[in-house]
Amino acid sequence: KRTQQRKSSSTANNANNKKSKQPRRKHKKTSSPPSSPKEIQIPKELTPQEKSQYVALDAEMVGVGPHGQHSRLARITLANYDGECIYDTLVQVVETVTDYRTFVSGITPQDLEEGGSAIPFEECRSQVLELITDKIVIGHGLKNDFRVLGVTHLWYFTRDTAKYEPFMKVDPTGEKDFIPKKLKVLAKDKLGLVIQEDGVPHCPLEDAVAALELYKKHRTKWEKAMSYKMERTKEITKC
């Protein structure tokens, strides 16, 4: 009986060992589904007070000197954050205009005649300064607008769609890393807007609002980049 019990016990142990030694079923590795792209955070709606800190600007110029190669301010337009015109005026040009650049500027000799609606340059400059001082100014090619206006504006208060790197393109000549894209190209590619049509003079309000809408669409990313630059500047100036 003991022998039989040993045999049956041995047989049971062997059976259990066989079960335990059975290879586990290999589960096929399934590749995890590709992660969905991160959701773009839509910028929060600005309060009226926050909106008041922004001004969009565009200027139209005429040429003076030989072949009209020197630019002078002839019209300037400003818009608020909602794209509403808050300032628009023609500006008198003291020097002889040799190129009205009408096909682009829309300015004609009649627009700048004495006794017309054009105001003196200094009056215009003073009024514009009141509107943009300590404000974030948005535009395209603002360096040129500020130059003919005879003002400087702090870089951290400037949002220039011609200088924002994600909006620029590689310089095919290799002289620079990046060069600006035209505003009409950016408006079409980024916003689906058609502006500055061939054969039609530019509308300064339309151009200012196009730059404004480009900024608003990319505001979150743009402001993060500006915050980083400002922090880096602070660190450098501390050294």
Side-chain angles (χ1 to χ4, degrees):
K1 284 183 180 178
R2 287 181 179 175
T3 305
Q4 286 178 350
Q5 285 177 352
R6 285 177 185 171
K7 284 183 178 180
S8 60
S9 175
S10 176
T11 304
N13 288 336
N14 289 336
N16 289 333
N17 289 336
K18 283 181 180 178
K19 284 182 181 178
S20 63
K21 288 180 181 179
Q22 283 180 353
R24 293 182 179 179
R25 293 178 70 184
K26 291 184 179 179
H27 296 285
K28 290 183 178 180
K29 291 184 179 179
T30 55
S31 57
S32 57
S35 58
S36 56
K38 293 180 180 178
E39 291 183 7
I40 297 173
Q41 294 183 348
I42 300 173
K44 67 181 180 68
E45 185 65 25
L46 299 183
T47 65
Q49 184 175 0
E50 288 171 329
K51 287 181 178 181
S52 69
Q53 297 305 305
Y54 294 88
V55 177
L57 179 153
D58 187 70
E60 299 298 339
M61 306 159 203
V62 293
V64 300
H67 311 293
Q69 60 185 345
H70 302 295
S71 294
R72 295 292 182 269
L73 180 65
R75 183 181 178 184
I76 188 164
T77 304
L78 280 71
N80 63 19
Y81 194 82
D82 292 321
E84 300 164 338
C85 182
I86 59 173
Y87 186 82
D88 181 33
T89 187
L90 292 165
V91 183
Q92 295 172 6
V93 180
V94 177
E95 298 156 276
T96 301
V97 177
T98 52
D99 186 356
Y100 284 88
R101 305 175 185 174
T102 306
F103 69 100
V104 172
S105 69
I107 304 296
T108 65
Q110 292 74 28
D111 290 328
L112 305 184
E113 283 180 351
E114 269 188 63
S117 59
I119 66 174
F121 173 80
E122 287 300 332
E123 182 182 342
C124 168
R125 183 175 179 276
S126 176
Q127 291 172 352
V128 172
L129 275 173
E130 285 185 19
L131 292 169
I132 69 172
T133 299
D134 295 331
K135 299 289 180 69
I136 294 174
V137 178
I138 303 164
H140 189 81
L142 285 170
K143 179 180 177 180
N144 300 322
D145 296 335
F146 290 148
R147 182 189 295 123
V148 295
L149 192 56
V151 302
T152 56
H153 203 66
L154 294 170
W155 66 268
Y156 48 84
F157 278 151
T158 303
R159 304 293 185 271
D160 193 337
T161 54
K163 294 296 184 181
Y164 182 49
E165 196 167 298
F167 288 170
M168 302 176 79
K169 61 182 180 181
V170 175
D171 184 359
T173 67
E175 293 180 8
K176 300 178 181 179
D177 292 332
F178 300 99
I179 57 175
K181 287 184 181 180
K182 291 183 178 180
L183 180 60
K184 66 182 294 183
V185 173
L186 289 172
K188 184 68 171 63
D189 292 348
K190 306 288 186 182
L191 304 171
L193 290 177
V194 177
I195 63 171
Q196 301 179 355
E197 295 184 80
D198 294 338
V200 180
H202 295 187
C203 169
L205 179 60
E206 187 177 67
D207 291 354
V209 171
L212 171 65
E213 291 302 322
L214 283 165
Y215 167 75
K216 286 162 72 172
K217 187 174 182 180
H218 298 266
R219 182 171 69 88
T220 300
K221 185 178 178 181
W222 198 327
E223 290 308 319
K224 283 181 181 178
M226 288 299 294
S227 295
Y228 173 77
K229 287 180 182 178
M230 290 170 72
E231 286 300 318
R232 289 290 297 142
T233 302
K234 287 179 183 178
E235 290 174 7
I236 293 169
T237 52
K238 285 179 183 178
C239 297

